[in-house]
Amino acid sequence: MFIDSHCHLDRIDLAPYANDFNTFVDAARAAKIRHMLCIAIDMEAFPAMLEQVMPYPDISLSVGVHPNVSDGREPTLDDLLQLADNDKVIAIGETGLDYFRSEGDLEWQFQRFRTHIAAAKLLNKPLIIHTREAGQDSLDVLQEEGADQVGGIIHCFTEDWAYAEKALDLNFYISFSGIVTFKNAEAIKDVARKIPADRFLIETDSPYLAPVPYRGKPNYPTYVRYVAEHIADLRGTSVEAIAEQSTENFYRLFAGSSADRLHKLS
C-alpha cells in the first residue's frame, strides 16, 4: 500500500475517470493507494477542496498559501489557525521561498513563510515546504523560527546530499517526486540512496511532474508506484519495502496531529 504525501486533487484532470471524483478515488484505492495528502496553495480554493474530500477518510488536507501565489488573499495567522482547526487538516503549507518564478523585493514571501511557521507551531502540525532556487534562505528561516519544533516535509526534493543532511538536522523529512526518475537527476538519486530509511516519503505532486514513463503528461496519485519502484532500484530493495517504509514514516511524522485517526480510517 502506498501513500501519496503530496498531491493537488482539486487540479487533476478527471476525464479518464468519467469526470467523477468518486470514480477517481475508487481507482486510486484499487491501485493500492492507502492515503493521499491533498495540498492547498491558496485561500480561495480551500473551502471547495475541503468540501470535495470531506466524505473520504483516506484523504487528508493541508492549509496554506504557496510562495508563488501573489494575486490572492494574503493569509493572516488567524486565517491559518481557523482553517486548520479541522480533523481533515494535518499539515500547514505548502509554504516556503521561490526565487525561480518570483522576482524583485520578496519580503512578502519571507513574511508569509514566517506566518505559516508560527501557525504550525501553535497547532503542532508539520510544515509542507516548497523551496526553489532558495535553498539556504529557506533553511535559514526554518532555523530562525524554530520550525524544528514541529518538523515537516521538504517536498519535491531537488537539492543535494549536503542540503538533505541540513534538513534532516532540522527535523524534516525528504519527499521524492517523479523528478527522481528523470535521467539527469543524479544529485537527487544520490540522496535517495543515502537517506536514512526512517526519513523519506514519496509523492506525485500531481497533476504536475509525472514520473517516467509518463513524463510530460498529466500526473495522478496512482503514479506514485513508479517513484517507489525507482527508489527501490536505487536502494537495492523491493518496491514493497519502499511502500511499507514510506507509509510507516508518514504516520510517524503526523503522529502529533491525526495519525491515530488516519490509521483507523485508512
Side-chain angles (χ1 to χ4, degrees):
M1 302 295 287
F2 303 94
I3 289 181
D4 186 351
S5 67
H6 192 114
C7 51
H8 302 278
L9 300 182
D10 57 331
R11 293 174 169 248
I12 63 172
D13 180 7
L14 291 173
Y17 303 99
N19 291 310
D20 179 69
F21 190 73
N22 190 63
T23 300
F24 155 74
V25 173
D26 286 344
R29 291 168 177 167
K32 298 185 178 180
I33 308 299
R34 178 176 181 177
H35 205 91
M36 294 173 279
L37 177 51
C38 182
I39 304 295
I41 65 169
D42 60 38
M43 300 287 286
E44 288 74 17
F46 182 81
M49 188 171 73
L50 177 61
E51 182 178 4
Q52 181 182 43
V53 308
M54 185 59 76
Y56 303 98
D58 44 357
I59 303 176
S60 296
L61 297 175
S62 74
V63 62
V65 178
H66 193 286
N68 284 332
V69 172
S70 58
D71 57 355
R73 178 174 148 212
E74 186 65 27
T76 66
L77 179 59
D78 286 343
D79 287 333
L80 295 174
L81 295 177
Q82 181 178 357
L83 292 175
D85 186 21
N86 186 304
D87 282 346
K88 273 287 185 185
V89 177
I90 64 170
I92 303 299
E94 61 189 283
T95 184
L97 300 173
D98 190 313
Y99 297 167
F100 179 76
R101 296 189 183 279
S102 300
E103 299 177 345
D105 183 0
L106 297 181
E107 180 56 34
W108 59 273
Q109 260 193 23
F110 279 82
Q111 184 55 52
R112 179 183 295 174
F113 192 9
R114 296 179 193 278
T115 298
H116 281 74
I117 296 171
K121 289 168 63 178
L122 286 170
L123 294 164
N124 193 32
K125 294 186 177 184
L127 287 151
I128 310 296
I129 303 301
H130 168 104
T131 178
R132 189 169 185 186
E133 297 189 3
Q136 188 57 52
D137 284 353
S138 297
L139 289 179
D140 288 345
V141 173
L142 291 172
Q143 185 169 27
E144 291 166 6
E145 299 299 319
D148 60 310
Q149 295 176 32
V150 291
I153 303 169
I154 308 294
H155 111 88
C156 192
F157 190 80
T158 56
E159 303 285 348
D160 60 14
W161 176 240
Y163 188 95
E165 287 185 301
K166 295 176 183 177
L168 294 173
D169 288 343
L170 284 172
N171 197 27
F172 279 79
Y173 287 62
I174 302 300
S175 183
F176 297 102
S177 70
I179 294 177
V180 75
T181 70
F182 296 176
K183 186 176 180 179
N184 62 348
E186 285 305 322
I188 306 170
K189 295 177 193 291
D190 180 58
V191 175
R193 294 185 189 98
K194 294 177 177 177
I195 193 82
D198 61 350
R199 297 296 293 279
F200 75 88
L201 301 171
I202 54 176
E203 65 171 85
T204 60
D205 201 15
S206 53
Y208 316 108
L209 298 175
V212 175
Y214 295 100
R215 185 176 182 181
K217 299 178 180 180
N219 199 6
Y220 292 94
T222 51
Y223 296 170
V224 77
R225 166 180 284 275
Y226 296 99
V227 178
E229 288 176 347
H230 194 77
I231 294 174
D233 287 343
L234 292 171
R235 295 176 70 88
T237 188
S238 67
V239 66
E240 291 81 7
I242 295 299
E244 181 178 358
Q245 183 67 63
S246 58
T247 295
E248 180 182 324
N249 294 346
F250 181 87
Y251 287 126
R252 185 189 318 106
L253 172 61
F254 293 103
S257 51
S258 306
D260 290 340
R261 181 183 64 82
L262 294 178
H263 273 301
K264 292 174 183 176
L265 298 180
S266 292

